[in-house]
Amino acid sequence: VSHNKDQSYIRSSSICRWPLIAFFVASAVVLILRFNLPRVNHIESDPFTLVATNETEKIALETEMMASASPAKPPRNFLEVAQTTDTDKIAGYKYLPECLANNKTCTPPDAERETCRPWGHFYDTIYTPWLGKYSTEDAAPIQFVEIGFYKGAGFEAYSKYLPNAELHSMEIACLPEGPQNEGKWPWENEAKNHPWYERLLQTRRLHCGDASDYNFLKDKWMTEMKRKEAPPLMVVVDDGSHLHDHMATSLFFWFPRIEPGGILIVEDIQPISEANKFRTHIVPQVMKDLHWCGGPKSSEPDTRCFPTIQPLLQGVHCEMHICVFVRNNEPSSEPDQVSSMTPPAAFRDAEKCLFGPH
């Protein structure tokens, strides 16, 4: 009997121990899985910190983190790129030392401001910060329009600086030779000497005509540039005749057509008779409109000088002889002819708009 009791005790003890054994086995499996499977935990205190328990995955994660943390490519230096061409946009650096050493080489030699004396400009301080984001190999494609191809050195500098831009240029001198009253050009065509000349004509990137004429601008814009597959128009540069009314034409025609965040640049706004009135009449009125608020008649009297420009204007940035007109976030538009042209009183009534009475 006692033997049977012992066997019953053994069987009962074994049955009681099975749950305990199962518990230890399950715990062991959990521990094994926990310490051997690859695992990534996000640390709540720092969402950008990753911890890996597997060495291979740790290396992969470190590589991914380094790639994601890599800073954006810095903009290229316009000065360095432009110096590989013959453009006058940065030629001031080259000719200033010689000019200061020998006043006879200066143009004009009697300018009080030394940086006004040499031939050429110092426009890299505008182009690097304003075009820099388009200068890298991974930059988004944009459309760029230059007014005034001339000998092509500026267009060449832009082409080298903006690798993904669709560049267009307008030049009056490449019209057929003949009387100007017949829509031709009686003087020399400097553009034809550039090695890219024929290719630019064939690819319809160089457009021959008068960029101060609404009909010419409208035609080239609608047929060659405003295409369904074209990149957005973000930059227009006026480097044409340097006549004040032609500069104004570029502002009023192109500014509404530039996409939000884009810019219009007008070069050579120096104190010369041809350009003076753009500097003394148009730019000050645009600056006044930049700060316009409007309001009830009881408030301080104020008017807008250029109602077609003011609603689109984010800012104006000027340095010596060059200004950047910046588009705000208002969508681009296709104004009618009247709204695309310089207002008749833009020059005549500048003083009245600036100083009143309003």
Side-chain angles (χ1 to χ4, degrees), residues 24-275:
F24 283 117
V25 170
S27 299
V29 170
V30 169
L31 290 172
I32 291 171
L33 291 174
R34 181 178 180 183
F35 287 103
N36 286 278
L37 290 178
R39 181 170 55 90
V40 177
N41 290 333
H42 291 272
I43 299 178
E44 294 182 1
S45 62
D46 184 359
F48 297 101
T49 301
L50 299 176
V51 178
T53 57
N54 179 278
E55 190 64 27
T56 302
E57 187 162 343
K58 182 178 180 181
I59 295 172
L61 286 170
E62 288 176 351
T63 304
E64 182 180 345
M65 290 171 65
M66 290 175 63
S68 63
S70 298
K73 292 182 179 179
R76 296 161 66 206
N77 189 314
F78 183 81
L79 176 61
E80 294 176 357
V81 175
Q83 283 175 333
T84 65
T85 72
D86 293 327
T87 181
D88 66 339
K89 300 180 191 302
I90 45 80
Y93 294 103
K94 178 179 179 181
Y95 293 104
L96 179 59
E98 181 183 358
C99 167
L100 296 180
N102 180 5
N103 199 44
K104 293 181 180 180
T105 65
C106 299
T107 57
D110 58 346
E112 292 184 36
R113 189 175 182 176
E114 290 184 347
T115 48
C116 290
R117 296 179 192 172
W119 181 82
H121 308 284
F122 305 87
Y123 291 161
D124 59 298
T125 56
I126 285 287
Y127 283 119
T128 296
W130 287 99
L131 296 187
K133 61 183 177 181
Y134 307 123
S135 69
T136 58
E137 294 293 337
D138 58 351
I142 64 165
Q143 196 171 65
F144 178 107
V145 176
E146 174 195 53
I147 310 299
F149 184 83
Y150 190 40
K151 296 182 179 181
F155 187 88
E156 188 176 335
Y158 295 136
S159 298
K160 292 181 176 181
Y161 190 64
L162 306 170
N164 298 326
E166 177 187 298
L167 282 88
H168 294 262
S169 188
M170 298 183 173
E171 175 57 50
I172 193 171
C174 58
L175 285 169
E177 186 176 355
Q180 200 167 14
N181 59 8
E182 296 180 7
K184 300 179 181 180
W185 187 250
W187 299 286
E188 186 178 0
N189 175 13
E190 298 274 10
K192 68 181 180 182
N193 298 320
H194 195 278
W196 299 354
Y197 179 69
E198 292 295 339
R199 178 168 58 85
L200 291 174
L201 288 176
Q202 292 170 5
T203 56
R204 295 185 299 190
R205 296 297 184 85
L206 176 59
H207 311 287
C208 302
D210 183 357
S212 69
D213 179 72
Y214 170 81
N215 292 321
F216 169 75
L217 292 176
K218 178 75 171 181
D219 175 63
K220 295 305 176 186
W221 165 241
M222 296 301 294
T223 61
E224 306 294 350
M225 300 174 207
K226 195 179 181 181
R227 311 180 317 276
K228 184 177 181 180
E229 77 282 3
L233 175 63
M234 300 303 293
V235 182
V236 176
V237 176
D238 183 294
D239 185 22
S241 67
H242 310 330
L243 297 175
H244 63 266
D245 53 334
H246 291 184
M247 293 172 166
T249 296
S250 293
L251 172 64
F252 286 96
F253 181 87
W254 289 109
F255 202 65
R257 293 169 169 84
I258 296 173
E259 294 298 324
I263 58 175
L264 181 138
I265 299 175
V266 182
E267 294 186 0
D268 301 307
I269 312 177
Q270 58 255 50
I272 56 176
S273 59
E274 296 86 352

Side-chain angles (χ1 to χ4, degrees), residues 264-310:
L264 181 138
I265 299 175
V266 182
E267 294 186 0
D268 301 307
I269 312 177
Q270 58 255 50
I272 56 176
S273 59
E274 296 86 352
N276 261 343
K277 285 188 177 180
F278 188 83
R279 178 176 59 93
T280 60
H281 290 59
I282 301 300
V283 173
Q285 291 185 84
V286 176
M287 289 294 294
K288 176 178 180 288
D289 281 355
L290 176 64
H291 303 287
W292 177 84
C293 290
K297 294 182 179 180
S298 59
S299 65
E300 185 70 21
D302 194 13
T303 58
R304 289 182 291 181
C305 300
F306 303 137
T308 61
I309 297 298
Q310 183 277 326

